[in-house]
Amino acid sequence: MKSIKQFLILLFLVFSFIQTNAANPNPPFNLRSFDKQNPIGTNDKPYFGWYLSDPDTNEIQSAYQIIVSSSLANLKANKADIWNSKKTNSRKQNYIYLNGITLKAATTYYWKVRCWDKDGNASSYSAPANFTTGLLTNTDWASAQWIKRDSKDNDDYTYFRKKARLPNKTIKKAITYISACHSYELYVNGKFIGKGFNNHYPQYSYYNAWDVTALLKKNTVNLLGCLTHWYGGGQGRATGSRGMILKTIIEYTDGSKTIIGTDKSWKQTQASQWIQGQPQRGGEGVGRIEFVDNRKAIANWNTAKLDDSNWNNAIEIGPHPTAPWTGTLQSDLTRVIEKEIKPTAIKNLGNGKYIIDLGKIYAGSFKINFNERIAGDTIKMLGGYQLNEDGTTVNPKMNQSTNLSFKYIPSGNNSVFNPHVYFGMRYLQIDNAPNELNQNNVSFISRHFELDAARSSFESSNEMLNKTWDLMLHTLILGAQEDFVDTPTREKGAFLLDSWSQAVPAMSVMYDRTMNMRALNQFLQSQDQYWPDGRLNAVYPNVDGGRDIPDFTQSFLVWVWDYYTQTANIEFLKSNYSRLKKIADYVSTYKNDSTGLIHKLKGGKGPYEFGIIDWPATMRYGYDMSVESRTVIDAYAYEDFNIISKIATVLGNEADKTLYANKAEAIKKAINTLLINHNGVYIDGINNTQNMSTHVSQHANILPYALNIVPEANKKQVIEEIKKQKMSIGMVCLRWLPESLGLADEGEQLIDLYTNTEWDGWAKTIALGGTATWESWDANTTNQSMSHPWGAVGLLGMQNYILGITALAPQHEKIQIKPLWFGNKLTSAKGTYATDKGDIQVDWNYTNAKYHLKITIPNNSDAKVYLPKCGKTGTTIKLDDKEVTATEEGNYLYIDDIGSGEHHLER
């Protein structure tokens, strides 16, 4: 009895020693509010996120405490005079909203966080972070008016400027808030501050905030200058109305303020170097040919030393809100990155003729220093995607139906040609350069929304696979512009399915959250504006109003669930639940009572009516469009109902959870009863007499397989049919092919899909000289877009099945790591995957009949990790040099609940 007591005391002492020797977590780091570090110009609904730093392995966050203060001094003194979350038991690390607190406009708030580990040990507080609210209500724009230049120019470039003498006081903080249709460039005292793009409908207009503290000077005259560009409506650009509003709030250390707002005292004039009356470029409303006469440029237009006494005063449209800007201006935290790059080649063909090659397609504009040779000579240039066979001229026929010509008249020496409107291109042909062109005077300003390609990585033993990753990675950046655009050349519009195909990999590959949230909200606004029945616009914003494609609307809920899985942003689901549910209800309205399937899902026009299925039409590979109920539409309907049921579960709505789960189960049963033929595979659909289509497409089989609709008894036939058809889909359904092969454990077929240059696909595009993903696999012969980012959706299959990383719980609290078995097709792969909790790293190789997997799991995540059996018997594997017994599942063995830190597994 005594020995048992002594043993228990010893056990208690050992346990206490372990507890007391577990290291305390380090302070949290990488603090973000609104998914940005120290953002300015935010709305009044802040949410917070951070990374953990804990030296112990297998660690989770058991609780957190956030304090928010009105001053840095209060924060340092732990005085939470704005908000104190108190100790909150939760593993959540982002999208923690500050609710129920009224915040002031144009005010900086300070915050910090501390966390507790699984043993209850607390970290010290993090370093301070902050966010600065923008102008939250219409009245916050007081002291500023919407202004314009009296102009009928259809390509309206206007300079605005305002001189203001500031008092002899030390400036504490100065922020400029600005909105302009369609774009602006902001300058302070001649220094460039930033660019903004506002292509939304006026009632939803955006504004940006810029910190200008460092460029303003006390006790002297300062100059605020802005170049605006309005050019009518187009694809992805509402027509809007000419106008700009700006408000600069300058705070001094003595507590006083100066406010500079736009009004009729501002001066304005036409930026007349852009010659009016130029033809449209074609494309779909991308603007007019830029003909710039630099002799007409106004030097020093953005500096105080310019005498603007001969400029006209601005015309006041009215204070905000005023028609057409009738809504509350929306805070926009997206920003554009510009980077100067050099061509890979400049070919001098003699007599002033040059071909400039960037090496691959980029979005942006050339920047070239020209010298005047003969006064008034016009330099003619043509951008393009391909050269003619002679290699000395741009092929004008492969131009995405867009005239990419430019004209420029220099004004003396070192006159800089730099077009205002960006385009995607690789080549520039110059016919009559007046001076030698070389690496010193030719560059390209590449631009994109602030996606960070360094947030992920991929490398494998297959060189073509690596090239495929690089192709999609580069293209993902090409499409990240004012929105996730269709293409940076012909159609600069946010098409819904194009946006979804880019936005989802942008989250896991580039760690984007900002543009994803903005784009999701925009498409929901399209429902408010145009579609009381629950549909969404196919492209939004846009010049042509309400315009939908049924299966684009259906795909939106998949995007929403992807977003929630990545972020665990439950507030987004709560605030938008009624609109999300309307989408599923719209689909359900077209259920045929006799078949249980969706018949003639209303929407779309011409070749898009009742569902686009795939696009361009050649990418349907013979899909039977004559049927009344289309299998792809029915599969999406199942997933729409299924997702609403899952969202209802998250929100605790038991009635809707059951209702939509039943709807999903009912249509699943109908699909498997009526849409499988005698060979056990899916046909393209049925007509209203229930006669089955005789055509079996890859589209009709990959969606049921990827969405877990296929009965177990049919899985073998269906996957064999999918494999037989290789790549027989276009980009609209592209996501579901790697997904179905991955779920079916068809690793060797998956590698062929990404690397076989004989099949339609990414590798063939690369073999044909493509440097970005195309609109269609045959774009090189059909003049479809050769910079079409929806093909970048293939990045997901590489992350999910080659690196093997999948989220099993929102915000990656639980992850699966399961690289497929690829036989001899692939012997190693490694990469990085970005999450709200930190980076997941995977590095596996199979050499000398030994499989080794190294993983790094971020704090506060745990993983279910699989190894292939590698053709061996038994269930023993090594985990961190210790033999353990794994659980068998198909051709794999797994260990569950592997916690944070670096781990090694061997088979």
Side-chain angles (χ1 to χ4, degrees), residues 224-341:
L224 298 178
C226 197
L227 168 65
T228 65
H229 181 214
W230 176 92
Y231 56 122
Q235 200 78 279
R237 190 176 68 253
T239 303
S241 184
R242 297 169 176 84
M244 180 188 85
I245 190 169
L246 177 150
K247 184 173 182 177
T248 299
I249 302 175
I250 305 164
E251 300 178 28
Y252 304 101
T253 53
D254 67 359
S256 61
K257 295 181 180 179
T258 295
I259 295 176
I260 304 171
T262 43
D263 58 22
K264 62 185 177 182
S265 70
W266 280 60
K267 293 299 187 85
Q268 53 81 12
T269 194
Q270 180 187 11
S272 55
Q273 64 267 39
W274 280 278
I275 305 302
Q276 294 299 305
Q278 302 308 306
Q280 292 275 6
R281 289 192 178 277
E284 299 196 22
V286 294
R288 295 175 180 271
I289 292 171
E290 283 193 55
F291 183 5
V292 177
D293 185 347
N294 205 52
R295 299 171 300 175
K296 297 182 178 182
I298 302 172
N300 300 315
W301 72 269
N302 51 15
T303 67
K305 64 183 178 182
L306 176 76
D307 179 4
D308 59 12
S309 58
N310 63 338
W311 287 30
N312 292 324
N313 289 89
I315 296 172
E316 289 184 357
I317 303 170
H320 189 77
T322 192
W325 301 281
T326 54
T328 301
L329 293 175
Q330 298 185 90
S331 164
D332 180 15
L333 298 181
T334 67
R335 294 292 183 270
V336 165
I337 295 172
E338 293 189 321
K339 181 181 179 182
E340 190 165 338
I341 62 175

Side-chain angles (χ1 to χ4, degrees), residues 639-688:
E639 189 65 356
D640 288 337
F641 302 146
N642 182 40
I643 287 171
I644 291 298
S645 178
K646 291 193 290 188
I647 293 173
T649 302
V650 171
L651 300 182
N653 186 331
E654 290 296 321
D656 279 358
K657 170 189 171 183
T658 302
L659 173 66
Y660 289 94
N662 289 341
K663 285 176 178 282
E665 195 56 36
I667 197 166
K668 180 178 181 179
K669 182 178 179 180
I671 290 169
N672 290 331
T673 301
L674 297 173
L675 298 178
I676 296 177
N677 70 10
H678 62 278
N679 292 321
V681 299
Y682 292 90
I683 43 87
D684 291 353
I686 60 172
N687 63 27
N688 59 354

Side-chain angles (χ1 to χ4, degrees), residues 755-801:
T755 64
N756 192 322
T757 58
E758 300 300 316
W759 296 4
D760 283 352
W762 302 278
K764 186 176 181 180
T765 297
I766 293 168
L768 290 170
T771 62
T773 61
W774 294 347
E775 183 174 8
S776 58
W777 305 122
D778 58 359
N780 62 316
T781 61
T782 58
N783 197 24
Q784 303 293 342
S785 166
M786 300 179 80
S787 57
H788 217 86
W790 58 0
V793 74
L795 289 163
L796 295 175
M798 296 180 74
Q799 287 189 312
N800 297 159
Y801 298 108

Side-chain angles (χ1 to χ4, degrees), residues 339 341-346 355-366 383-387 400 404 423-428 443-448 453 463 466-479 488-489 510 765-766 768-774 786-788:
K339 181 181 179 182
I341 62 175
K342 288 294 180 181
T344 58
I346 301 174
I355 289 290
I356 302 171
D357 183 4
L358 299 175
K360 60 174 70 172
I361 297 163
Y362 287 92
S365 55
F366 276 93
Y385 279 73
Q386 289 185 333
L387 299 180
Q400 299 185 196
L404 292 175
F423 285 97
M425 63 184 73
R426 173 175 174 176
Y427 299 100
L428 185 69
S443 58
F444 188 84
I445 309 300
S446 169
R447 56 98 78 188
H448 58 85
E463 190 54 38
N466 300 337
K467 289 179 180 179
T468 299
W469 171 274
D470 291 342
L471 178 84
M472 290 189 281
L473 190 75
H474 177 66
T475 315
L476 196 58
I477 290 175
L478 285 181
T489 301
M510 308 276 193
T765 297
I766 293 168
L768 290 170
T771 62
T773 61
W774 294 347
M786 300 179 80
S787 57
H788 217 86

Side-chain angles (χ1 to χ4, degrees), residues 441-582:
N441 56 21
V442 177
S443 58
F444 188 84
I445 309 300
S446 169
R447 56 98 78 188
H448 58 85
F449 163 69
E450 54 189 350
L451 294 185
D452 183 0
R455 286 307 307 270
S456 67
S457 63
F458 180 88
E459 183 181 343
S460 78
S461 56
N462 186 307
E463 190 54 38
M464 180 54 79
L465 191 63
N466 300 337
K467 289 179 180 179
T468 299
W469 171 274
D470 291 342
L471 178 84
M472 290 189 281
L473 190 75
H474 177 66
T475 315
L476 196 58
I477 290 175
L478 285 181
Q481 303 295 339
E482 298 85 73
D483 289 291
F484 292 112
V485 301
D486 182 271
T487 164
T489 301
R490 186 186 74 227
E491 299 172 291
K492 299 180 183 180
F495 278 80
L496 197 161
L497 193 134
D498 297 65
S499 296
W500 163 67
S501 297
Q502 298 168 64
V504 178
M507 285 190 282
S508 58
V509 176
M510 308 276 193
Y511 191 69
D512 173 67
R513 301 291 185 267
T514 310
M515 186 66 89
N516 260 269
M517 182 182 280
R518 198 188 88 171
L520 286 164
N521 282 322
Q522 281 182 185
F523 282 110
L524 289 171
Q525 287 162 359
S526 80
Q527 187 186 81
D528 298 342
Q529 189 174 2
Y530 293 118
W531 305 110
D533 68 351
R535 283 179 271 176
L536 304 172
N537 251 40
V539 55
Y540 190 84
N542 205 37
V543 67
D544 56 2
R547 171 185 170 193
D548 76 311
I549 298 175
D551 28 355
F552 280 30
T553 293
Q554 288 183 292
S555 72
F556 185 79
L557 290 179
V558 181
W559 182 4
V560 167
W561 191 250
D562 287 330
Y563 174 77
Y564 175 70
T565 301
Q566 286 281 332
T567 66
N569 185 358
I570 194 171
E571 291 297 324
F572 179 84
L573 301 183
K574 284 181 183 176
S575 59
N576 292 300
Y577 182 63
S578 61
R579 295 194 286 186
L580 299 176
K581 191 166 71 164
K582 280 174 71 175

